[in-house]
């Protein structure tokens, strides 16, 4: 054996806030034609190199894309050689693609068989394997973005490991409207836990012909993933390590505390609001409640000059001198952006992958193990996954081959404690005069006045969460070659899925409750358990006949039968009013607000 290669890649993922990063881009338009007859080519993928942003040509071969001078545009379409063009000063780029016979020789997966692309008349897309290796991916669904013409991939969540929404065609499936059917090595299942390095090919069946094989389940198209198999030759062990940094994008610029206080008070003065009304407003008012004084660093500038040595500043009050503020000045401390720095972080992503490939004339084996760990940019979010894959084949006789395989994965995915939108809102919209800490040592996060404000670290410290997903598959296939153009294949497969979610929130309090005498808190302690288990069985048998005559004429016929059965069990329990924070399971609750148990089966 030998170590085949060590490959290290580094990348940066930026997201969260929209910013003016396209300041130097321009609209680039053009038309894509065939070099054979100068006819327009529709559905050509036009991708911005290194960005994956892109578009496709319309029915008349035209396209429009935002690009900057120096960017590289990649043009690709099935049956044509790809072409890359550098954007210059011109806003028009017309492209003539050459017909490629190499692409037509590709092997594609169509249902239970593989065929040469040149023999297929239905609409089939194939993902270039290079797309899977150019960047690490927690979810292989993102590899479809911008890589196949006509496929829409929408990332609806920034949670690490989240699966994107994929639209191949239509939206009429009886199982999941809009979502395509997914098959991995013939097993109908999710692709969320598949290590990209394990994938040999991804084929997309996009027209109605897919329903002839899969029925109404395939109304929205089919994604067929084939994993790697063993090969003859010297045994090889490969290891790949990828390390990267996830960084937040620069956000919006907000007023600092000085401008925030001054212009809010000035605007209220000009609109005719009284001083009492303004001083009763959190953020820029001169509050008198002890809890507000402890949480908001804004005061009338009277006898507290020593605070200037502790990072405080002053400004002239637009309302001028008054009974509550004889000096006519305000002293304050700027906490603007401090909570943002606590919530958003730069994190690391690591992917360790190792595999074994071996085989001879009779048997072949492929085995792999993958560990993926991605920290979310929003504190508290994380995705960790372990995946193992084994595929083995053995030729009992020259005309009889047995193939077997299995996968196992376990993953834990955590998003933000609240919704991403609410978390970002409560952070960005917080008053710059609110102190995010209850103590000078900055060890006690300020809980805020409710769910819309406060230090996000407070709620995070009060919540215990589990979101664990386990998947396991197993398959056995026997293929018997009756003669060179006729064979029989029988396959059986199982798929087991389970998801466990647990949540418990300790007793919480607002800053007003913290400073009350005596301190009080909310002891509702909401908790829930959710468990879902699915067991699936598939059995099929096919007889396939392939014949080529007169060099260019082909007959491909298949007759088969399949049994598909699935059993599902779901249980969820909600509870509140646990007597203590020390027991973090729902069974400690004394009040149960409802729950449900369901069990279904279909064949």
């Amino acid at each position: 054996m030998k170590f085949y290669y060590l490959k290290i890649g580094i990348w940066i993922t930026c997201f969260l806030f929209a910013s003016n990063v396209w300041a130097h881009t321009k609209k680039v338009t053009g038309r894509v034609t065939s070099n054979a007859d100068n006819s327009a080519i529709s559905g050509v993928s036009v991708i911005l190199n290194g960005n994956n942003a892109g578009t496709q040509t319309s029915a008349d071969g035209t396209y429009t894309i935002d690009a900057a001078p120096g960017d590289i545009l990649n043009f690709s379409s099935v049956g044509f050689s790809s072409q890359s063009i550098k954007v210059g000063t011109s806003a028009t780029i017309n492209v003539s693609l050459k017909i490629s016979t190499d692409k037509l020789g590709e092997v594609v997966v169509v249902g239970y068989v593989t065929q040469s692309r040149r023999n297929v008349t239905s609409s089939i897309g194939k993902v270039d394997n290079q797309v899977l290796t150019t960047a690490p991916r927690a979810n292989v669904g993102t590899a479809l973005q911008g890589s196949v013409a006509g496929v829409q991939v929408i990332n609806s969540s920034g949670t690490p490991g989240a699966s994107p929404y994929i639209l191949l065609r239509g939206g009429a499936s009886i199982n999941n409207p809009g979502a395509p059917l997914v098959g991995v090595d013939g097993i109908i299942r999710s692709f969320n836990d598949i290590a990209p390095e394990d994938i040999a090919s991804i084929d997309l069946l996009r027209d109605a012909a897919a329903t002839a094989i899969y029925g109404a389940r395939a109304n929205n198209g089919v994604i067929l993933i084939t994993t790697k198999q063993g090969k003859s030759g010297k045994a090889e062990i490969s290891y790949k390590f990828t390390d990267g940094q996830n960084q937040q994008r620069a956000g919006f610029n907000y007023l600092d505390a000085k401008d925030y206080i001054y212009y809010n008070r000035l605007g209220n003065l000009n609109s005719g609001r009284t001083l009492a009304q303004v001083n009763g407003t959190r953020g820029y008012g001169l509050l008198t409640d002890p809890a507000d004084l402890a949480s908001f660093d804004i005061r009338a500038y009277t006898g507290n000059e020593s605070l200037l040595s502790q990072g405080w500043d002053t400004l002239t009050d637009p309302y001028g001198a008054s009974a509550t503020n004889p000096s006519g000045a305000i002293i304050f401390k700027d906490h603007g952006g401090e909570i943002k720095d606590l919530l958003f972080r730069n994190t690391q992503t690591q992917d360790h992958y190792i595999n074994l490939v071996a085989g001879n004339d009779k048997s072949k084996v492929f085995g792999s193990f993958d560990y993926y760990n991605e920290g979310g940019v929003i504190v508290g979010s994380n995705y960790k996954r372990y995946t193992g894959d084994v595929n083995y084949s053995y030729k009992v006789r020259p005309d009889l081959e047995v193939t077997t395989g299995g996968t196992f994965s376990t993953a834990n995915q955590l998003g933000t404690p609240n919704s991403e939108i609410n978390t970002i809102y409560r952070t960005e919209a917080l008053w710059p005069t609110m102190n995010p800490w209850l103590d000078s040592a900055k060890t006690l996060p300020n809980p805020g006045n409710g769910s819309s404000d406060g230090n996000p670290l407070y709620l995070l410290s009060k919540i215990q969460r589990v979101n664990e997903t386990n998947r396991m598959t197993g398959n056995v296939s026997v293929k018997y070659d009756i003669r060179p153009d006729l064979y029989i294949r029988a396959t059986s497969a199982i798929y087991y899925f389970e998801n466990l979610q647990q949540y418990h929130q300790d007793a919480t309090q607002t800053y007003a409750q913290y400073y009350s005498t005596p301190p009080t808190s909310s002891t509702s302690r909401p908790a829930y358990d959710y468990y879902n288990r699915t067991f699936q069985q598939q059995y099929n048998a096919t007889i396939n006949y392939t014949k080529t005559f007169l060099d260019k004429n082909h007959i491909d016929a298949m007759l088969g039968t399949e049994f598909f059965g699935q059993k599902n069990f779901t249980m969820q329990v909600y509870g509140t009013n646990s007597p203590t924070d020390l027991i973090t399971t729902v069974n400690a609750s004394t009040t149960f607000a409802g729950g449900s148990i369901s069990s279904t089966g279909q064949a």
Side-chain angles (χ1 to χ4, degrees):
M1 296 184 180
K2 67 177 182 179
F3 284 93
Y4 187 52
Y5 66 88
L6 171 65
K7 184 176 181 181
I8 298 177
I10 298 178
W11 80 103
I12 295 176
T13 302
C14 300
F15 58 95
L16 285 180
F17 300 111
S19 62
N20 194 19
V21 296
W22 304 109
H24 304 292
T25 62
K26 60 182 179 181
K27 294 286 184 183
V28 177
T29 60
R31 188 168 183 262
V32 182
T33 57
S34 169
N35 73 324
D37 54 7
N38 202 36
S39 61
I41 309 175
S42 62
V44 177
S45 294
V46 185
I47 308 298
L48 195 62
N49 192 37
N51 187 288
N52 275 345
T55 185
Q56 60 179 332
T57 57
S58 58
D60 60 356
T62 59
Y63 71 92
T64 300
I65 190 171
D66 291 326
D71 286 344
I72 303 296
L73 295 180
N74 298 321
F75 298 81
S76 61
S77 182
V78 175
F80 295 87
S81 297
S82 300
Q83 190 173 154
S84 298
I85 297 180
K86 187 175 183 179
V87 178
T89 56
S90 175
T92 302
I93 298 179
N94 295 319
V95 180
S96 178
L97 296 182
K98 296 181 180 179
I99 296 178
S100 172
T101 57
D102 293 338
K103 291 293 184 181
L104 295 177
E106 285 184 343
V107 173
V108 294
V109 180
V110 185
Y112 302 102
V113 297
T114 59
Q115 296 184 16
S116 171
R117 187 187 291 276
R118 69 171 67 248
N119 300 331
V120 178
T121 58
S122 56
S123 177
I124 297 179
K126 193 174 185 70
V127 179
D128 189 343
N129 283 0
Q130 290 297 111
V131 175
L132 299 172
T133 59
T134 52
R137 304 176 188 277
N139 192 297
V140 297
T142 59
L144 305 179
Q145 189 169 21
S147 61
V148 180
V151 177
Q152 299 180 45
V153 180
I154 303 170
N155 294 308
S156 58
S157 171
T159 301
S163 181
Y165 176 79
I166 299 174
L167 184 64
L168 299 186
R169 63 181 297 272
S173 170
I174 60 176
N175 291 338
N176 189 359
L181 187 71
V182 178
V184 182
D185 289 336
I187 302 175
I188 305 303
R189 56 165 298 191
S190 168
F191 53 58
N192 291 26
D193 61 327
I194 304 297
E197 292 291 333
D198 281 344
I199 295 177
S201 66
I202 302 179
D203 299 276
L204 292 80
L205 313 185
R206 291 183 291 174
D207 63 12
T211 60
I213 302 173
Y214 296 101
R217 296 176 299 172
N219 277 356
N220 296 322
V222 183
I223 299 175
L224 297 177
I225 297 176
T226 303
T227 61
K228 294 177 180 177
Q229 306 291 317
K231 60 183 180 180
S232 300
K234 187 181 296 185
E236 297 178 346
I237 295 179
S238 304
Y239 172 73
K240 180 180 179 180
F241 168 71
T242 309
D243 181 76
Q245 299 294 323
N246 304 319
Q247 296 183 346
Q248 60 165 310
R249 180 179 293 177
F252 301 103
N253 293 321
Y254 292 91
L255 293 176
D256 59 17
K258 190 169 192 174
D259 288 339
Y260 171 80
I261 297 169
Y262 180 80
Y263 288 109
N264 267 291
R265 294 179 73 88
L266 179 62
N268 278 279
L269 175 64
N270 293 336
S271 65
R273 294 193 72 197
T274 66
L275 182 60
Q277 290 175 316
V278 172
N279 282 340
T281 305
R282 289 187 176 92
Y284 55 83
L286 302 179
L287 304 172
T288 58
D289 185 272
D292 290 330
L293 290 173
S295 290
F296 289 88
D297 288 345
I298 177 172
R299 312 277 191 275
Y301 186 39
T302 304
N304 46 22
E305 294 83 358
S306 61
L307 293 175
L308 295 175
S309 62
Q310 301 175 31
W312 292 55
D313 197 1
T314 61
L315 61 84
T316 301
D317 186 359
Y319 278 88
S322 64
T324 57
N325 187 12
S327 67
I330 295 173
I331 187 171
F332 65 93
K333 189 172 184 179
D334 190 356
H335 295 284
E338 191 170 337
I339 284 191
K340 176 182 175 181
D341 294 336
L342 298 173
L343 181 72
F344 305 130
R345 56 185 181 175
N346 296 333
T347 62
Q348 188 176 26
T349 297
Q350 290 190 336
D351 190 3
H352 297 267
Y353 177 81
I354 186 169
N355 70 13
L356 166 68
V357 181
N360 51 40
D361 293 339
K362 283 195 171 183
S363 64
K364 301 178 181 66
V365 63
F366 173 86
S368 70
F369 177 79
D370 181 72
Y371 166 69
Y372 184 91
N373 186 11
E374 178 182 352
V377 171
I378 299 180
V379 65
S381 58
N382 178 265
Y383 180 66
K384 183 181 293 185
R385 183 189 67 217
Y386 299 88
T387 304
D389 185 16
V390 176
N391 289 317
Y392 176 76
S393 65
Y394 180 74
K395 279 202 169 185
V396 181
R397 302 183 333 200
D399 57 356
L400 182 63
E401 182 179 27
V402 177
T403 303
T404 183
T407 64
F408 173 78
S409 71
T410 180
N412 190 50
Q413 182 185 42
L414 296 176
T416 59
N418 293 312
S419 69
E420 295 169 356
I421 294 176
N422 183 60
T423 300
I424 294 174
Y425 167 78
R426 67 180 293 187
T427 301
E428 295 290 353
L430 199 66
W431 309 283
T433 55
M434 184 175 185
N435 189 344
W437 304 98
L438 296 176
D439 61 334
S440 58
K442 296 185 177 182
T443 59
L444 297 175
N446 189 334
N449 190 52
S451 60
S452 62
D453 61 75
N455 189 329
L457 296 182
Y458 176 79
L459 185 59
L460 188 63
S461 68
K462 298 294 182 179
I463 293 177
Q464 291 78 43
R465 297 178 295 159
V466 172
N467 184 14
E468 180 181 297
T469 300
N470 298 312
R471 294 182 175 91
M472 181 177 65
T473 68
N475 66 84
V476 177
S477 175
V478 179
K479 180 189 176 197
Y480 175 58
D481 296 321
I482 301 174
R483 61 189 202 190
D485 57 0
L486 182 66
Y487 70 87
I488 297 175
R489 187 195 301 272
T491 303
S492 65
I494 61 170
Y495 173 51
Y496 178 81
F497 166 88
E498 68 175 8
N499 174 239
L500 173 65
Q501 298 179 34
Q502 294 179 309
Y503 177 95
H504 181 272
Q505 180 177 298
D506 295 344
T508 59
Q509 57 188 180
T510 65
Y511 69 79
Q513 292 174 320
Y514 178 85
Y515 285 108
S516 66
T517 305
T520 61
S521 61
S522 171
T523 57
S524 62
R525 297 187 178 94
Y528 71 81
D529 273 10
Y530 170 87
Y531 178 74
N532 174 254
R533 181 186 67 209
T534 300
F535 181 74
Q536 176 181 296
Q537 302 176 74
Q538 290 179 243
Y539 305 97
N540 65 68
T542 61
I543 180 169
N544 299 268
Y545 175 74
T546 303
K547 186 68 174 179
T548 300
F549 57 96
L550 300 179
D551 294 332
K552 296 183 179 181
N553 299 287
H554 307 272
I555 295 178
D556 294 282
M558 182 189 73
L559 178 65
T561 181
E562 179 182 79
F563 170 83
F564 179 92
Q566 191 178 84
K567 292 183 178 180
N568 181 272
F569 174 80
T570 301
M571 179 180 68
Q572 48 189 347
V573 180
Y574 302 88
T576 56
N577 300 320
S578 171
T580 176
D581 291 338
L582 300 179
I583 304 177
T584 60
T585 54
V586 71
N587 59 289
S589 300
T590 58
T591 303
F592 293 92
S596 63
I597 296 177
S598 65
S599 180
T600 60
Q602 62 180 24

